[in-house]
Amino acid sequence: METNSSLPRLVPWASWDEWQTTMDALFSEDSCRVRLGLETVAAWRTRGGLPAAIEATADIIGCGL
């Protein structure tokens, strides 16, 4: 079976910049930035299609707050 990796994928984030900003926030030492990152991931959850790895990472980080 052939897969076509050139097809666009639907993801809950609007851009790679939003993705990078959110990941930087989640792994920040500033708890306010971490909360903002968690809020962004929560918004992504409502859009659907959130990869399990992102969901699990946010859940683990959220437990640490």
Side-chain angles (χ1 to χ4, degrees), residues 24-38:
D24 290 344
L26 286 174
F27 292 101
S28 173
E29 293 188 22
D30 179 358
S31 62
C32 291
R33 286 193 68 210
V34 173
R35 288 183 205 283
L36 180 62
L38 291 171

Side-chain angles (χ1 to χ4, degrees), residues 7-30:
L7 292 176
R9 293 181 62 184
L10 294 177
V11 293
W13 46 90
S15 67
W16 282 113
D17 185 49
E18 181 184 18
W19 158 263
Q20 188 62 54
T21 300
T22 302
M23 290 301 109
D24 290 344
L26 286 174
F27 292 101
S28 173
E29 293 188 22
D30 179 358

